Amino acid sequence: MRSWCNPSGHSDAQRITFFMQTFSLKDTPFQLDLTVSCGQAFRWRQYNGFWYAPVGDKIWKIRQERDLLLYDGPTEKELIRYFGLDIPLDDILTDIDRDPLIHAAIRRCLGLRIIRQDPWECLISYICATCANIPGIMMRIENLSERYGNKIEMDEMTFHTFPDAKRLAEEEMCSIRTCKVGYRDAYICGAAEMAASDANWAEKIAGMPYPEAHEKLMRLNGVGPKVADCVLLFGFEKYEAFPVDVWIERILRTKYLGGTRKLSYKRAGSFAREHFGQYAGYAQEYLFGVREEIGRKGE
DNA sequence: TTCCTACCTGA
DNA sequence: CAGGTAGGA
């Protein structure tokens, strides 16, 4: 529904935006701030109390007030789909809640949801994520978007949509490198050529069972097991995908398996799927959410 | 299988 | 040195 925000008693930020859509969460657990800032998606930024991001070819603007979402940009349907508000999170959390550590993580991050990202943007984002922290990843994606995406102005700010595969496939590698993506330039070009030459690549992967989809994505240069799992989890709704980064590996090794040797990627993943079940990917997100409290070096 | 190193860039 | 991957021992 479209509603008028009563200016009285509200922040300046709210007052300058007259029309916002609203969505009532009712009893659906959802924590917007955590969901957009936990490191799964890289384009959300906070200005004046609202989160903004280019999603598809529009700018989305949103904030949460208790069980109410105030938003502008998406339709209600798009909003629900993107944030997975149609997913029975309570059931999933009950399912993965199988030990004291994940139990604590669930309590702490309750309402964290896995976003349904665009597969193409997700693929490039995680190719850009190797050997980098979150700000570094955001910078690379921002650079690519500034250079090759479309400019959109909103609330006195400038945003850039993420370029599609065809657009990137036109570029020479030396041009991509000006976006400070470093050695990932060839990987990005390769992925762009693949996606531009097969408009149905994403549908094909979406239709495959997890192990096959994982194998298929790994054929791309620059896509190893970790990147493939991120793309499957955040871009393809494959909740068996369990991305294992240095944090998760350390948590699994020290808190779950009591080992000293580094876990192989395969071993870590199969342990997680056995232990947490079919929604292991959600368990990964919740553990990642508390990584700094439980997974510091030397613990 | 497991281990090693180089790879861009910047914090 | 880093939320990883490729390529070779």
Side-chain angles (χ1 to χ4, degrees), chain A residues 43 120 124 140-151 159-181 185 188-189 192:
Chain A
R43 307 222 58 199
W120 158 247
I124 300 304
R140 295 190 181 100
I141 298 167
E142 204 56 47
N143 289 345
L144 287 168
S145 303
E146 260 179 46
R147 190 150 161 74
Y148 308 116
N150 300 319
K151 188 194 222 180
F159 299 89
H160 298 269
T161 62
F162 190 78
D164 62 29
K166 282 215 169 74
R167 180 72 186 85
L168 281 194
E170 295 167 1
E171 295 301 324
E172 301 292 334
M173 239 159 59
C174 56
S175 160
I176 299 267
R177 190 163 272 208
T178 64
C179 297
K180 311 217 189 259
V181 295
D185 57 356
I188 295 171
C189 288

Side-chain angles (χ1 to χ4, degrees), chain A residues 25-26 45 54 60 77 80 91 181 188 231 268:
Chain A
L25 292 159
K26 302 193 178 71
R45 302 194 123 128
W60 290 22
K77 200 174 161 191
I80 290 170
D91 296 346
V181 295
I188 295 171
V231 175

Side-chain angles (χ1 to χ4, degrees), chain A residues 1-8 10 14-15 17-20 22:
Chain A
M1 90 187 61
R2 198 165 266 280
S3 65
W4 180 264
C5 292
N6 181 358
S8 62
H10 287 91
Q14 220 173 303
R15 207 168 304 143
T17 307
F18 299 121
F19 283 103
M20 299 287 289
T22 60

Side-chain angles (χ1 to χ4, degrees), chain A residues 29-36 64 108-113:
Chain A
F30 183 52
Q31 253 193 271
L32 174 70
D33 294 359
L34 188 55
T35 297
V36 298
Q64 179 173 10
R108 173 161 286 266
C109 301
L110 187 64
L112 170 60
R113 280 172 184 268

Side-chain angles (χ1 to χ4, degrees), chain A residues 33-34 41 43 74 111 123 127 140 147 150 152 173 175 186 216 220 223 226 246 249 265-266 271 273 286 290:
Chain A
D33 294 359
L34 188 55
R43 307 222 58 199
L123 173 63
I127 284 176
R140 295 190 181 100
R147 190 150 161 74
N150 300 319
I152 303 178
M173 239 159 59
S175 160
K216 174 87 177 167
L220 289 167
V223 178
K226 196 279 186 172
V246 293
E249 189 277 333
Y265 196 92
K266 265 210 154 85
F271 166 77
R273 276 180 284 279
Y286 276 75
V290 295

